[in-house]
Amino acid sequence: MELHDIWFVLIAVLWIGYFFLEGFDFGIGVLTKLLARDRKERRVLINTIGPVWDGNEVWLLTAGGATFAAFPEWYATLFSGFYLPLLIILLCLIVRGVAFEYRAKRNEERWQTNWENAIFWTSLIPAVLWGVAFGNIVRGVKIDADMEYVGNFFDLLNPYAILGGLVTLFLFTFHGAVFAALKTAGDIRVRARALAIKLGLATAVLALGFLLWTQAVSGDRWSLVALIVAVVALVAAIGAIAKGREGWSFTFSGLTIVAAVAMLFLTLFPNVMPSSLNEAWNLTVTNASSTPYTLKIMTWCAGIATPMVLLYQSWTYWVFRKRIGTQHIADAH
C-alpha cells in the first residue's frame, strides 16, 4: 500500500470521526425545537454538548487540512466547485458557535429566542448540506481535463444528493435523540427515547434507499459488507432504545454512521472525486496526491499528534459523563 492510499484511509477516518461526533452535536441542535418544550429544557439539551461541541469540530478542521496537504488537487477542485454550499456550512458553524456563547449573555426574551433559533437552523442546514456534498462526491460531478469543476450550484441539487442530505439530517437527528436520552434525566429523557424510535424508523427507510442506490451504481463486495453492517446496526440501535438501553443504542447508532460513511469511501476508492463527463478525468489517489516526501513528513506528524488529541478528547468526555436534568438548571433571573 502506497502512502497516498494510507492517507486516503486516514482522511476517511477523520470524516467518520467528524460525522460520529458532530452528528449528535447537530442532532441536539435540531432537537432544541423538536424535543424541548421550554427554555429550561433547551438549556438542558445545549448543556449536554456544551463542553464538547467545539472539540468535535476539530475533526473537520483536521480533515480539511489533511486533504489540503495530502491531496491538493482534490482540495482545490472540491473547495472551488462546492464553494457556495461549503461557504454556507462555514457561516453556519461560525454563527452556531457564537450562538452557544452569546445566548445567555443577556436575559431579554427576544435576545435568547433569536440565538436559540440560530442554533436550530445552523444545526439543520449543515446536517443536510454535508449529505448533499458527499452524495455528489460519490456520484461524480462535472470535472474537465484540467481537474476543474465546470458545473454550477444547481447541478449539485440532483435526486441522489438530495436523498443523501435527507439521510444525514434524519440520521444525525436520530443519533442526537439517542445521545439526549443517554445524557439527560427525568421527563425529557423519556420523551427523547420515544422520539428516537420514530426518527430511527424514518431514518431506516431513507438510509436503506440511499445505500442500496449507492451499492447498485458503484458498489463492490466490500461496500456491500459495510452496507449490511450499517443496516444491522441501525436496526439494533432502534431496538436498544425501545428497550431503554441508551448506551447500547448510542453505540449502534454511532456504528451506523461509521459503516455508512465507510461505505461511501469504499465505493469512491481509488477515486477521490469522479468526473461525470469522462472517466479519464477522474481525480484519483494517484493524480491528486502530494509528493511522497510531503506524505512521509505528514505521516510522522500525524503519528505523534493524533494519539495526544484522542487521549485529550476521551478525557473530556469522561469528565463530563454524568446525566443532566431540569433540576440541575437554575431558574433564569
Side-chain angles (χ1 to χ4, degrees):
M1 181 178 284
E2 301 290 338
L3 279 176
H4 51 65
D5 299 324
I6 293 173
W7 272 98
F8 179 85
V9 174
L10 292 176
I11 288 171
V13 170
L14 289 171
W15 280 110
I16 288 170
Y18 173 67
F19 288 135
F20 179 95
L21 296 171
E22 194 80 327
F24 68 77
D25 213 327
F26 287 144
I28 290 293
V30 174
L31 292 172
T32 57
K33 293 291 185 184
L34 300 184
L35 178 63
R37 290 177 173 172
D38 53 34
R39 174 148 296 137
K40 184 171 283 191
E41 289 192 349
R42 282 192 288 274
R43 291 170 64 190
V44 168
L45 290 176
I46 292 170
N47 284 352
T48 62
I49 60 172
V52 297
W53 69 267
D54 49 354
N56 294 344
E57 292 184 357
V58 171
W59 288 77
L60 172 61
L61 299 175
T62 308
T67 304
F68 171 77
F71 299 99
E73 295 290 352
W74 183 14
Y75 180 92
T77 304
L78 176 64
F79 278 76
S80 59
F82 291 23
Y83 180 83
L84 183 56
L86 292 178
L87 177 62
I88 293 172
I89 291 173
L90 177 61
L91 292 175
C92 284
L93 295 179
I94 292 172
V95 173
R96 189 167 178 265
V98 173
F100 282 136
E101 298 298 330
Y102 276 75
R103 180 188 58 83
K105 294 297 183 182
R106 290 165 58 180
N107 292 321
E108 288 87 345
E109 175 72 19
R110 184 174 180 182
W111 172 272
Q112 296 196 359
T113 299
N114 287 340
W115 287 120
E116 288 166 357
N117 289 335
I119 290 172
F120 171 77
W121 287 109
T122 56
S123 298
L124 185 147
I125 293 172
V128 173
L129 289 181
W130 280 127
V132 173
F134 271 83
N136 278 290
I137 291 173
V138 172
R139 173 180 176 269
V141 292
K142 295 179 179 179
I143 300 174
D144 64 12
D146 296 321
M147 297 184 178
E148 294 181 359
Y149 178 71
V150 293
N152 56 55
F153 174 75
F154 295 101
D155 291 329
L156 305 178
L157 301 179
N158 54 79
Y160 176 79
I162 292 173
L163 178 58
L166 291 175
V167 169
T168 49
L169 173 61
F170 276 82
L171 181 56
F172 291 169
T173 308
F174 168 67
H175 195 40
V178 174
F179 182 78
L182 178 66
K183 292 289 291 180
T184 59
D187 181 60
I188 191 171
R189 176 188 179 190
V190 175
R191 286 187 284 112
R193 279 189 207 161
L195 181 58
I197 295 172
K198 297 176 183 178
L199 288 168
L201 294 174
T203 301
V205 174
L206 292 169
L208 184 61
F210 179 75
L211 295 179
L212 287 175
W213 191 347
T214 304
Q215 179 66 26
V217 173
S218 55
D220 57 19
R221 66 180 185 277
W222 296 112
S223 62
L224 179 60
V225 171
L227 185 156
I228 294 171
V229 171
V231 172
V232 171
L234 182 55
V235 172
I238 298 170
I241 197 66
K243 294 180 179 179
R245 304 294 297 273
E246 293 105 337
W248 280 110
S249 183
F250 183 73
T251 300
F252 285 124
S253 67
L255 180 58
T256 303
I257 293 175
V258 170
V261 179
M263 179 188 174
L264 296 183
F265 277 94
L266 286 169
T267 59
L268 196 58
F269 186 81
N271 298 317
V272 294
M273 206 166 177
S275 171
S276 61
L277 300 178
N278 190 328
E279 288 188 3
W281 299 340
N282 289 354
L283 272 65
T284 68
V285 292
T286 304
N287 65 21
S289 68
S290 294
T291 63
Y293 181 74
T294 300
L295 297 176
K296 185 176 181 180
I297 296 298
M298 288 176 62
T299 304
W300 279 104
C301 294
I304 295 171
T306 302
M308 293 188 292
V309 173
L310 291 175
L311 285 172
Y312 171 76
Q313 195 159 24
S314 299
W315 176 77
T316 303
Y317 277 94
W318 175 256
V319 169
F320 296 101
R321 66 189 182 278
K322 298 288 184 69
R323 292 181 182 271
I324 183 173
T326 53
Q327 68 272 21
H328 301 114
I329 304 295
D331 292 329
H333 295 296

